[in-house]
Amino acid sequence: MALRMWASSTANALKLSSSASKSHLLPPFSISRCFSSVLEGFKYANSHEWVKHEGSVATIGISDHAQDHLGEVVFVELPEEKSSVTKANNFGAVESVKATSEIISPISGEVIEVNTKLADSPGLINSSPYEDGWMIKVKPSNPAELESLMGPKEYTKFCEEEDAAH
Amino acid sequence: MFLFSRFFEELIFTRRFSGKSSKGFKMSISRANDLRLPLMNLIRLKGTPILEQLHLEERLLRASSENWCIVNDGTNVPTIVMGMSGKPSQLLELGPVMKDQIPVIKRFTGGGTVIVDKSTLFVSLICNKDDVPGVQPYPRSVMAWSGSLYGEVFGGVNGFQLRENDYVFGDRKFGGNAQSIIKNRWIHHTSFLWDYNVRNMAYLKLPSRVPQYRLERDHTEFVCRMKDYIERSDFIEKTVKAVGKQFAMKQVNLEDIDSYAKGEHVKSTRLLTMEELQEAMSGTTQSA
């Protein structure tokens, strides 16, 4: 079973590599690893969501590592504008490969915008996890929560250790 | 290792000096082995309505912190069960469904649409991710694990495999599965087509998203009956035995569930109303 999982992971990596030409879609300051990309300037949760904090707005999505492991996303359930999200609690779900998977909010705050494109194009989460696949924009209620999130290098190491453990 | 040996010695000492026979000695080994495995609570149901079963599963997934194996030997009436994102207008022949008053449920897990009845066998596994080391809380990883587990159940049955996320004998599907993954837990549940009524398949449309191996076959050409491959009781017992190799099993009665799952939880499994089905048929809403 371990060999099958390794083979599956390798196949996915090759698929990523062969379609890595889409890496031109990623900003030039990305850290590119064998299996997934991690961007500078973002913060990451151990549940694989990312946060991009700009001024009073924090944009949230799921990482390239997460979308790769989830498989093709076919449906996304997101909260409504003006609802609240709470750090470490789920705010929505994605469906992929017959599974619903919770999305956990890395910070607390008020939802000020939802990516409505994901309703018709959930695959944006796979093709552009850090740009067009963003999920919600939040007005943080406690910006200090961002301090406890991982930076790019820490998150990269976290992903490598998590994959190596299985 | 030292602590385990010491514990085992004490267990044997207690048994020997309490006057127990060698049978007690064998029980000590079994119990000592079980203590190394995570606990799995086993609930056996028969003919439980599928809506009730799904409500129970969602409750145990969200409000319990233990592992669960639920086996339901058939459900009471033919019922259509759609995945979280299912749209009735796209998946169901709504005219006949409403005319024949077939219940339609939207469940909390992903995946496709099935019609289940008294011939269907249900097996659901709810696990803490830390109790299944080597399995990441992602769909394909969980499914690889479950495929291996059922490989043990069907060992020797020609053609069994997990194929593009379906359980098949050869190129014919006999089990539909789906999952839900939350923070530290996941559920993998399956409806096994022990037998089915061809007429019931007519309530389902050909879905737009199908596995490649299906080609363009309709339901009757695509699925097969599990009863042609294995005895019903044999399947249930082999499944429990396969799970028991990875977990220490403990039978739990449904009446005792309240003590295991407390507090409020999100309830997303529901029965669609006739009004929703009518609106879906008339195309006035996309939300059902």
Side-chain angles (χ1 to χ4, degrees):
Chain A
M1 182 168 81
L3 188 60
R4 279 208 303 276
M5 286 170 66
W6 178 84
S8 171
S9 177
T10 303
N12 286 337
L14 288 172
K15 188 172 78 173
L16 272 174
S17 297
S18 65
S19 60
S21 57
K22 73 182 179 207
S23 64
H24 70 275
L25 295 172
L26 295 171
F29 46 81
S30 64
I31 300 172
S32 196
R33 295 288 184 180
C34 293
F35 301 113
S36 61
S37 292
V38 178
L39 299 194
E40 289 287 348
F42 286 42
K43 295 287 246 177
Y44 300 87
N46 59 9
S47 47
H48 301 287
E49 291 79 14
W50 56 261
V51 183
K52 185 178 175 186
H53 189 206
E54 295 171 305
S56 61
V57 177
T59 307
I60 296 172
I62 65 169
S63 69
D64 190 25
H65 174 97
Q67 69 79 19
D68 177 54
H69 281 59
L70 284 170
E72 184 190 358
V73 176
V74 298
F75 182 76
V76 185
E77 192 175 70
L78 294 174
E80 300 203 343
E81 287 181 14
K82 297 184 184 173
S83 62
S84 298
V85 294
T86 306
K87 180 181 169 74
N89 285 356
N90 74 297
F91 69 81
V94 295
E95 183 180 347
S96 65
V97 196
K98 300 187 173 187
T100 57
S101 299
E102 280 189 338
I103 316 162
I104 310 294
S105 187
I107 59 171
S108 308
E110 182 192 350
V111 179
I112 57 174
E113 193 177 344
V114 174
N115 187 352
T116 54
K117 286 185 186 172
L118 295 180
D120 291 328
S121 304
L124 288 172
I125 290 175
N126 297 116
S127 61
S128 183
Y130 296 114
E131 292 188 354
D132 297 335
W134 68 272
M135 292 181 171
I136 58 173
K137 291 185 194 283
V138 169
K139 183 179 170 186
S141 57
N142 183 4
E145 287 175 338
L146 287 156
E147 304 300 318
S148 61
L149 299 174
M150 290 182 271
K153 287 192 178 123
E154 195 183 348
Y155 178 64
T156 301
K157 186 166 178 251
F158 174 78
C159 292
E160 287 172 353
E161 287 173 352
E162 195 177 72
D163 282 343
H166 295 91
Chain B
M1 192 65 184
F2 172 78
L3 285 174
F4 171 73
S5 299
R6 184 82 183 114
F7 170 78
F8 192 55
E9 286 167 9
E10 288 177 2
L11 203 57
I12 296 172
F13 180 88
T14 305
R15 288 288 187 193
R16 189 171 293 160
F17 285 87
S18 66
K20 295 290 181 184
S21 66
S22 60
K23 182 181 175 185
F25 180 76
K26 286 180 187 169
M27 285 172 63
S28 298
I29 294 175
S30 170
R31 287 171 64 182
N33 284 341
D34 282 354
L35 285 169
R36 293 182 297 179
L37 299 175
L39 183 66
M40 171 75 76
N41 297 308
L42 172 65
I43 301 177
R44 293 207 193 215
L45 306 171
K46 188 171 175 65
T48 296
I50 185 60
L51 182 62
E52 190 177 320
Q53 178 192 327
L54 289 168
H55 279 154
L56 172 66
E57 289 177 8
E58 191 168 11
R59 181 183 177 193
L60 291 175
L61 175 69
R62 299 190 194 284
S64 163
S65 57
E66 301 196 20
N67 303 312
W68 297 89
C69 175
I70 300 154
V71 179
N72 188 12
D73 189 349
T75 190
N76 57 337
V77 298
T79 306
I80 291 169
V81 186
M82 299 192 304
M84 181 185 88
S85 62
K87 291 186 167 51
S89 58
Q90 294 175 4
L91 296 166
L92 309 180
E93 297 292 354
L94 284 167
V97 166
M98 290 191 292
K99 176 174 173 289
D100 296 342
Q101 298 186 306
I102 306 295
V104 179
I105 292 169
K106 188 172 276 195
R107 63 178 187 263
F108 65 103
T109 53
T113 307
V114 293
I115 179 158
V116 298
D117 58 25
K118 62 177 169 49
S119 300
T120 314
L121 276 164
F122 303 92
V123 179
S124 307
L125 293 157
I126 300 172
C127 296
N128 290 312
K129 69 178 178 107
D130 291 340
D131 288 335
V132 199
V135 178
Q136 289 201 39
Y138 292 109
R140 287 175 295 208
S141 183
V142 173
M143 218 171 291
W145 173 82
S146 71
S148 174
L149 183 130
Y150 285 114
E152 281 193 48
V153 175
F154 295 108
V157 178
N158 282 340
F160 168 76
Q161 61 173 308
L162 177 67
R163 186 170 185 176
E164 292 184 61
N165 309 315
D166 289 338
Y167 296 128
V168 303
F169 292 123
D171 65 351
R172 292 224 179 192
K173 178 177 174 178
F174 69 92
N177 63 70
Q179 300 167 121
S180 182
I181 301 166
I182 63 173
K183 214 185 293 189
N184 296 309
R185 290 162 67 71
W186 44 261
I187 178 172
H188 175 92
H189 61 185
T190 310
S191 56
F192 289 97
L193 279 175
W194 173 258
D195 195 0
Y196 61 85
N197 186 330
V198 172
R199 186 174 174 273
N200 286 345
M201 293 293 168
Y203 293 118
L204 307 181
K205 287 183 177 175
L206 194 64
S208 57
R209 193 177 291 273
V210 295
Q212 284 186 342
Y213 80 96
R214 179 166 184 159
L215 303 173
E216 291 182 2
R217 292 178 284 166
D218 67 19
H219 289 294
T220 56
E221 292 297 314
F222 176 52
V223 297
C224 66
R225 295 175 168 88
M226 205 165 88
K227 70 176 188 180
D228 295 334
Y229 296 85
I230 189 170
E231 294 291 328
R232 195 175 179 101
S233 57
D234 213 20
F235 166 73
I236 293 174
E237 294 319 308
K238 282 184 174 180
T239 298
V240 172
K241 189 177 171 186
V243 176
K245 286 187 180 177
Q246 302 187 44
F247 297 88
M249 306 293 278
K250 174 185 151 193
Q251 186 119 355
V252 172
N253 295 324
L254 195 57
E255 302 78 53
D256 299 328
I257 286 302
D258 284 347
S259 63
Y260 291 92
K262 297 176 181 175
E264 291 297 313
H265 64 276
V266 169
K267 299 179 179 79
S268 38
T269 301
R270 64 187 187 87
L271 185 68
L272 299 189
T273 63
M274 190 58 73
E275 190 180 50
E276 285 176 300
L277 296 177
Q278 281 168 345
E279 285 174 355
M281 191 159 88
S282 64
T284 54
T285 179
Q286 296 292 318
S287 61

